[in-house]
Amino acid sequence: SRRVSPTLMADMVRSGEAVWTQLGGRRSRCVVLFTDLVGFTTRSSVMEPDTLFALMNRYFEAISAPVLQEQGLLDKFIGDCVMAFWNAPLAQSDHHDRAVAAAIALQQHVPAINARLAEEIGDAWDGGGIAIGVGVASGTVVVGNFGSRTRLSYSVVGDTVNLAARLEPFSKQTGLPLTFANATAQGASSHSLLKIDEITVRGRANAEPIYSWQPLSPEAHTAHDGLLEGILAETAVRRRKSLQTALEKLATMDGYPQGLADYYRRRIEAL
């Protein structure tokens, strides 16, 4: 009951599946989410232990809520990282949309988390609020009980897990908290996600299209898509100046994130 929502727990009880005690695993298609605090290692090193303890508990409580609300399973806390997944132990036909909705809710919860932390621990978090990075990927995993004879953990392993973990830090480059893998974006029919690049991920031969959630006006969205298409085109090197001009126009549009504009400036300069 501390790892799944009451609704999911009731469904598990009705299903009769003894997922917590059965040894071994099975192949399943899941969505995996990783989220952690940006800059946590540096900031936490100068915090008092009791303040750090209070901050982490408040943070984990706030981060867990959207995952449980969307019927996800909280896998584990790893330092400041939270790992969760969907579509196991019970199948969920809308698991892509649930995971994306949880990630968006995490992003939208950050101001409220910062307001509560400011009230409870003041300026202990280096005089500023927290920022999060979230990576989400979908695909085939092995799900089940892993461990030893003395300790077991119900979890997922596989390339999809590795991909989600490697996408999570990408927020530091774009300034956008959320990064979704291609399979997640294609499977999430209820959300309009913004393609932001195609990147090479360690351990994968082909470039991975990646997406984020960033509400834009129709004009800005069209301009963004055109700029990205130009950057990814084989003729991008010859069109550097025109791409720079298009970017500067896009960067002035209302609501376009400064961090993403800076990211594209670096991309164009590196062509």
Side-chain angles (χ1 to χ4, degrees):
S1 64
R2 295 189 179 211
R3 299 177 64 184
V4 299
S5 69
T7 301
L8 182 55
M9 183 175 176
D11 290 342
M12 290 167 57
V13 171
R14 282 194 293 269
S15 75
E17 291 190 26
V19 297
W20 310 122
T21 57
Q22 293 173 345
L23 295 175
R26 60 182 174 84
R27 294 176 69 84
S28 178
R29 295 193 64 81
C30 291
V31 186
V32 182
L33 177 149
F34 280 87
T35 179
D36 77 354
L37 290 170
V38 176
F40 172 78
T41 302
T42 301
R43 287 179 167 185
S44 64
S45 64
V46 296
M47 296 179 68
E48 294 295 328
D50 56 343
T51 303
L52 179 60
F53 184 84
L55 181 147
M56 294 309 299
N57 278 340
R58 299 296 181 273
Y59 164 71
F60 284 141
E61 179 182 356
I63 290 297
S64 299
V67 172
L68 297 177
Q69 179 68 31
E70 293 298 334
Q71 309 300 314
L73 188 147
L74 283 169
D75 188 327
K76 57 177 70 74
F77 301 136
I78 314 164
D80 62 312
C81 174
V82 179
M83 177 181 171
F85 57 89
W86 282 260
N87 208 37
L90 300 182
Q92 298 164 308
S93 60
D94 56 350
H95 54 285
H96 297 287
D97 280 310
R98 287 189 176 277
V100 172
I104 293 172
L106 290 176
Q107 176 177 330
Q108 295 175 327
H109 272 47
V110 169
I113 296 173
N114 281 326
R116 182 174 180 183
L117 290 176
E119 178 182 348
E120 296 187 2
I121 66 175
D123 292 336
W125 186 247
D126 198 25
I130 67 167
I132 63 170
V134 180
V136 186
S138 305
T140 301
V141 298
V142 177
V143 57
N145 285 302
F146 300 87
S148 67
R149 289 178 297 175
T150 56
R151 178 156 184 168
L152 292 174
S153 174
Y154 185 80
S155 187
V156 293
V157 296
D159 181 61
T160 299
V161 180
N162 298 336
L163 178 59
R166 287 166 182 161
L167 291 182
E168 175 270 311
F170 201 71
S171 63
K172 298 174 185 176
Q173 299 186 45
T174 62
L176 301 180
L178 313 181
T179 308
F180 301 99
N182 185 53
T184 305
Q186 298 307 315
S189 58
S190 300
H191 300 86
S192 178
L193 300 181
L194 186 72
K195 184 176 178 179
I196 55 176
D197 208 347
E198 294 180 4
I199 63 172
T200 301
V201 179
R202 182 162 52 92
R204 292 195 162 209
N206 298 322
E208 175 73 21
I210 57 172
Y211 296 74
S212 191
W213 179 76
Q214 182 65 43
L216 296 175
S217 67
E219 180 186 11
H221 204 304
T222 299
H224 168 90
D225 290 346
L227 174 68
L228 181 59
E229 182 180 357
I231 291 175
L232 296 176
E234 293 182 2
T235 58
V237 175
R238 298 196 298 273
R239 298 178 55 203
R240 256 179 62 169
K241 288 187 177 180
S242 63
L243 291 173
Q244 289 171 333
T245 300
L247 172 59
E248 295 314 314
K249 180 181 178 181
L250 177 60
T252 63
M253 294 183 178
D254 289 342
Y256 198 78
Q258 182 65 47
L260 189 56
D262 291 340
Y263 172 74
Y264 288 136
R265 287 191 185 96
R266 296 190 297 270
R267 286 280 277 113
I268 293 171
E269 290 170 0
L271 289 173

